[in-house]
PDB file of all heavy atoms in Angstrom:
ATOM      1  N   LYS A  86      -8.971   9.854 -31.307  1.00 95.00           N
ATOM      2  CA  LYS A  86      -7.634   9.307 -31.557  1.00 95.00           C
ATOM      3  C   LYS A  86      -7.052   8.598 -30.331  1.00 95.00           C
ATOM      4  O   LYS A  86      -5.944   8.068 -30.403  1.00 95.00           O
ATOM      5  CB  LYS A  86      -6.680  10.429 -31.967  1.00 95.00           C
ATOM      6  CG  LYS A  86      -7.099  11.150 -33.227  1.00 95.00           C
ATOM      7  CD  LYS A  86      -6.188  12.329 -33.486  1.00 95.00           C
ATOM      8  CE  LYS A  86      -6.679  13.147 -34.659  1.00 95.00           C
ATOM      9  NZ  LYS A  86      -5.861  14.346 -34.869  1.00 95.00           N
ATOM     10  N   LEU A  87      -7.774   8.598 -29.215  1.00 95.00           N
ATOM     11  CA  LEU A  87      -7.233   8.020 -27.986  1.00 95.00           C
ATOM     12  C   LEU A  87      -7.081   6.508 -28.093  1.00 95.00           C
ATOM     13  O   LEU A  87      -7.893   5.825 -28.719  1.00 95.00           O
ATOM     14  CB  LEU A  87      -8.146   8.332 -26.796  1.00 95.00           C
ATOM     15  CG  LEU A  87      -8.241   9.783 -26.381  1.00 95.00           C
ATOM     16  CD1 LEU A  87      -9.216   9.940 -25.214  1.00 95.00           C
ATOM     17  CD2 LEU A  87      -6.879  10.330 -26.013  1.00 95.00           C
ATOM     18  N   THR A  88      -6.028   6.018 -27.461  1.00 95.00           N
ATOM     19  CA  THR A  88      -5.800   4.589 -27.298  1.00 95.00           C
ATOM     20  C   THR A  88      -5.509   4.354 -25.825  1.00 95.00           C
ATOM     21  O   THR A  88      -4.682   5.052 -25.236  1.00 95.00           O
ATOM     22  CB  THR A  88      -4.603   4.113 -28.147  1.00 95.00           C
ATOM     23  OG1 THR A  88      -4.882   4.403 -29.524  1.00 95.00           O
ATOM     24  CG2 THR A  88      -4.367   2.624 -27.989  1.00 95.00           C
ATOM     25  N   VAL A  89      -6.212   3.406 -25.237  1.00 95.00           N
ATOM     26  CA  VAL A  89      -6.056   3.103 -23.815  1.00 95.00           C
ATOM     27  C   VAL A  89      -5.767   1.614 -23.675  1.00 95.00           C
ATOM     28  O   VAL A  89      -6.588   0.787 -24.075  1.00 95.00           O
ATOM     29  CB  VAL A  89      -7.326   3.478 -23.021  1.00 95.00           C
ATOM     30  CG1 VAL A  89      -7.178   3.117 -21.556  1.00 95.00           C
ATOM     31  CG2 VAL A  89      -7.642   4.957 -23.188  1.00 95.00           C
ATOM     32  N   ASN A  90      -4.601   1.287 -23.137  1.00 94.00           N
ATOM     33  CA  ASN A  90      -4.199  -0.114 -22.964  1.00 94.00           C
ATOM     34  C   ASN A  90      -4.352  -0.920 -24.257  1.00 94.00           C
ATOM     35  O   ASN A  90      -4.814  -2.065 -24.246  1.00 94.00           O
ATOM     36  CB  ASN A  90      -4.995  -0.767 -21.836  1.00 94.00           C
ATOM     37  CG  ASN A  90      -4.700  -0.155 -20.490  1.00 94.00           C
ATOM     38  OD1 ASN A  90      -3.593   0.305 -20.232  1.00 94.00           O
ATOM     39  ND2 ASN A  90      -5.689  -0.122 -19.622  1.00 94.00           N
ATOM     40  N   GLY A  91      -3.989  -0.286 -25.373  1.00 96.00           N
ATOM     41  CA  GLY A  91      -4.063  -0.949 -26.663  1.00 96.00           C
ATOM     42  C   GLY A  91      -5.430  -0.903 -27.321  1.00 96.00           C
ATOM     43  O   GLY A  91      -5.585  -1.356 -28.448  1.00 96.00           O
ATOM     44  N   TRP A  92      -6.416  -0.365 -26.615  1.00 95.00           N
ATOM     45  CA  TRP A  92      -7.771  -0.260 -27.171  1.00 95.00           C
ATOM     46  C   TRP A  92      -7.978   1.096 -27.816  1.00 95.00           C
ATOM     47  O   TRP A  92      -7.657   2.125 -27.233  1.00 95.00           O
ATOM     48  CB  TRP A  92      -8.802  -0.393 -26.044  1.00 95.00           C
ATOM     49  CG  TRP A  92      -9.233  -1.775 -25.745  1.00 95.00           C
ATOM     50  CD1 TRP A  92      -8.482  -2.901 -25.800  1.00 95.00           C
ATOM     51  CD2 TRP A  92     -10.525  -2.177 -25.318  1.00 95.00           C
ATOM     52  NE1 TRP A  92      -9.221  -3.976 -25.426  1.00 95.00           N
ATOM     53  CE2 TRP A  92     -10.495  -3.559 -25.124  1.00 95.00           C
ATOM     54  CE3 TRP A  92     -11.702  -1.506 -25.066  1.00 95.00           C
ATOM     55  CZ2 TRP A  92     -11.583  -4.290 -24.706  1.00 95.00           C
ATOM     56  CZ3 TRP A  92     -12.799  -2.234 -24.650  1.00 95.00           C
ATOM     57  CH2 TRP A  92     -12.734  -3.606 -24.477  1.00 95.00           C
ATOM     58  N   THR A  93      -8.557   1.083 -29.011  1.00 96.00           N
ATOM     59  CA  THR A  93      -8.946   2.321 -29.670  1.00 96.00           C
ATOM     60  C   THR A  93     -10.378   2.654 -29.266  1.00 96.00           C
ATOM     61  O   THR A  93     -11.070   1.840 -28.623  1.00 96.00           O
ATOM     62  CB  THR A  93      -8.883   2.160 -31.194  1.00 96.00           C
ATOM     63  OG1 THR A  93      -9.858   1.181 -31.584  1.00 96.00           O
ATOM     64  CG2 THR A  93      -7.484   1.753 -31.661  1.00 96.00           C
ATOM     65  N   VAL A  94     -10.837   3.809 -29.666  1.00 96.00           N
ATOM     66  CA  VAL A  94     -12.231   4.189 -29.431  1.00 96.00           C
ATOM     67  C   VAL A  94     -13.160   3.179 -30.113  1.00 96.00           C
ATOM     68  O   VAL A  94     -14.169   2.760 -29.540  1.00 96.00           O
ATOM     69  CB  VAL A  94     -12.511   5.624 -29.922  1.00 96.00           C
ATOM     70  CG1 VAL A  94     -13.996   5.939 -29.907  1.00 96.00           C
ATOM     71  CG2 VAL A  94     -11.747   6.627 -29.076  1.00 96.00           C
ATOM     72  N   ALA A  95     -12.805   2.751 -31.314  1.00 96.00           N
ATOM     73  CA  ALA A  95     -13.624   1.764 -32.036  1.00 96.00           C
ATOM     74  C   ALA A  95     -13.727   0.460 -31.245  1.00 96.00           C
ATOM     75  O   ALA A  95     -14.807  -0.142 -31.169  1.00 96.00           O
ATOM     76  CB  ALA A  95     -13.055   1.504 -33.424  1.00 96.00           C
ATOM     77  N   ASP A  96     -12.611   0.023 -30.639  1.00 96.00           N
ATOM     78  CA  ASP A  96     -12.630  -1.193 -29.822  1.00 96.00           C
ATOM     79  C   ASP A  96     -13.563  -1.020 -28.620  1.00 96.00           C
ATOM     80  O   ASP A  96     -14.348  -1.915 -28.295  1.00 96.00           O
ATOM     81  CB  ASP A  96     -11.226  -1.530 -29.303  1.00 96.00           C
ATOM     82  CG  ASP A  96     -10.239  -1.863 -30.405  1.00 96.00           C
ATOM     83  OD1 ASP A  96     -10.658  -2.400 -31.453  1.00 96.00           O
ATOM     84  OD2 ASP A  96      -9.047  -1.565 -30.206  1.00 96.00           O
ATOM     85  N   ALA A  97     -13.452   0.120 -27.957  1.00 95.00           N
ATOM     86  CA  ALA A  97     -14.274   0.377 -26.773  1.00 95.00           C
ATOM     87  C   ALA A  97     -15.753   0.480 -27.138  1.00 95.00           C
ATOM     88  O   ALA A  97     -16.616  -0.011 -26.407  1.00 95.00           O
ATOM     89  CB  ALA A  97     -13.808   1.646 -26.069  1.00 95.00           C
ATOM     90  N   LEU A  98     -16.052   1.097 -28.277  1.00 95.00           N
ATOM     91  CA  LEU A  98     -17.442   1.177 -28.718  1.00 95.00           C
ATOM     92  C   LEU A  98     -18.002  -0.196 -29.074  1.00 95.00           C
ATOM     93  O   LEU A  98     -19.153  -0.516 -28.763  1.00 95.00           O
ATOM     94  CB  LEU A  98     -17.562   2.121 -29.936  1.00 95.00           C
ATOM     95  CG  LEU A  98     -17.468   3.605 -29.616  1.00 95.00           C
ATOM     96  CD1 LEU A  98     -17.320   4.402 -30.890  1.00 95.00           C
ATOM     97  CD2 LEU A  98     -18.671   4.067 -28.814  1.00 95.00           C
ATOM     98  N   ALA A  99     -17.191  -1.035 -29.717  1.00 94.00           N
ATOM     99  CA  ALA A  99     -17.630  -2.390 -30.048  1.00 94.00           C
ATOM    100  C   ALA A  99     -17.899  -3.189 -28.779  1.00 94.00           C
ATOM    101  O   ALA A  99     -18.896  -3.934 -28.697  1.00 94.00           O
ATOM    102  CB  ALA A  99     -16.582  -3.089 -30.911  1.00 94.00           C
TER     103      ALA A  99
END
Side-chain angles (χ1 to χ4, degrees):
K86 300 174 186 176
L87 293 178
T88 301
V89 178
N90 295 328
W92 271 35
T93 64
V94 170
D96 296 329
L98 285 169

